[in-house]
Amino acid sequence: MDPESGKLARAPLHPAFDRGEQFEKRKLAMVLTAISAFNRRGFHATSLDEIAAELGLNKATLYHYFKNKADLLYECMLHAVNDGRLIAEQAEAGGGTGAEKLERFLRLQFQTLAGRNGSSWLIADISALPEARRNEVRRLSRIVDTKVQKFIADGVTDGSIDTTEPKIAEFFLIGALNWLPRWYSPDGRISSDELATIFIRIVLDGLRGKSG
């Protein structure tokens, strides 16, 4: 009892009645499943019925979380670019030369892109989104692009990377990563770590400076 108001004091909500965590876990499962489906079949060729079927749900359940397929695509893209931002920040926090930060970023990306828990990388036509949402996704993507370009520029400055065009080099690397979910299977003979090593040897060694 609250002595001032005379009303019963309300305790914090019991964890058993807090459905927020459950909601977010279900939503994440739907987003990751949708990303995988969109990458395999394409956004326009994938129906909500197919995504629901992969989850063992009916389509009506998806509408409790997303207004329509474009709304689901937007959530998928936000998840993808947020993962990219977190990875870039983690790579930057590790310090070292520009080449070391770039290699760390690439290895972390491969762990996410090719991991058994599902790729967060999304290959889809952003034009399917309304203009305001397209602009928001592009704005968030540029944050990641800028960080990776800085890794390359830092490498040019410290001599660990040899290129005159950090922006073009970054576009090339991201373009190569873009296609990984199209053809790579975690169930194949090459692990994501092994694939990362091969990728870095082929691509990054071509950028590495004489002192790198």
Side-chain angles (χ1 to χ4, degrees):
M1 181 77 69
D2 186 333
E4 294 185 4
S5 65
K7 296 181 180 180
L8 288 174
R10 179 175 294 179
L13 185 67
H14 190 284
F17 295 92
D18 182 4
R19 298 182 180 180
E21 182 180 353
Q22 185 181 41
F23 178 90
E24 291 303 322
K25 284 183 178 179
R26 289 177 176 177
K27 186 176 180 180
L28 177 59
M30 293 174 183
V31 165
L32 291 177
T33 299
I35 288 173
S36 176
F38 292 153
N39 284 346
R40 284 183 279 116
R41 293 190 292 268
F43 172 73
H44 295 290
T46 303
S47 69
L48 288 180
D49 283 313
E50 290 170 321
I51 294 171
E54 290 190 25
L55 288 159
L57 305 171
N58 57 57
K59 184 170 66 174
T61 304
L62 292 181
Y63 285 114
H64 288 294
Y65 295 82
F66 311 100
K67 297 176 183 177
N68 49 44
K69 191 167 71 166
D71 189 41
L72 173 56
L73 175 64
Y74 178 62
E75 292 294 332
C76 289
M77 288 188 167
L78 289 183
H79 177 78
V81 295
N82 186 58
D83 263 13
R85 177 184 60 80
L86 293 175
I87 286 172
E89 290 174 353
Q90 186 176 347
E92 184 178 40
T97 65
E100 289 169 340
K101 286 182 282 190
L102 181 59
E103 179 171 347
R104 190 177 300 118
F105 170 80
L106 292 172
R107 287 194 181 278
L108 289 169
Q109 279 288 15
F110 269 85
Q111 290 173 14
T112 302
L113 296 176
R116 292 182 178 275
N117 292 329
S119 172
S120 70
W121 200 270
L122 177 61
I123 307 168
D125 187 358
I126 196 172
S127 66
L129 298 179
E131 183 178 3
R133 288 190 161 186
R134 289 199 303 270
N135 291 339
E136 178 64 6
V137 170
R138 290 187 179 114
R139 182 187 69 81
L140 295 172
S141 296
R142 284 194 293 271
I143 295 173
V144 180
D145 289 337
T146 299
K147 282 188 175 294
V148 177
Q149 288 170 25
K150 187 176 185 304
F151 297 160
I152 298 173
D154 288 348
V156 173
T157 300
D158 62 36
S160 61
I161 289 177
D162 183 14
T163 181
T164 58
E165 297 289 348
K167 188 173 183 178
I168 293 176
E170 187 265 339
F171 285 167
F172 175 78
L173 290 173
I174 297 300
L177 286 172
N178 268 341
W179 285 96
L180 179 63
R182 292 280 193 181
W183 58 266
Y184 177 74
S185 170
D187 297 319
R189 66 179 180 85
I190 300 177
S191 70
S192 60
D193 287 340
E194 291 170 329
L195 188 59
T197 298
I198 293 170
F199 183 89
I200 289 167
R201 186 173 67 242
I202 293 173
V203 179
L204 187 56
D205 284 356
L207 294 172
R208 206 179 297 276
K210 293 181 180 179
S211 64

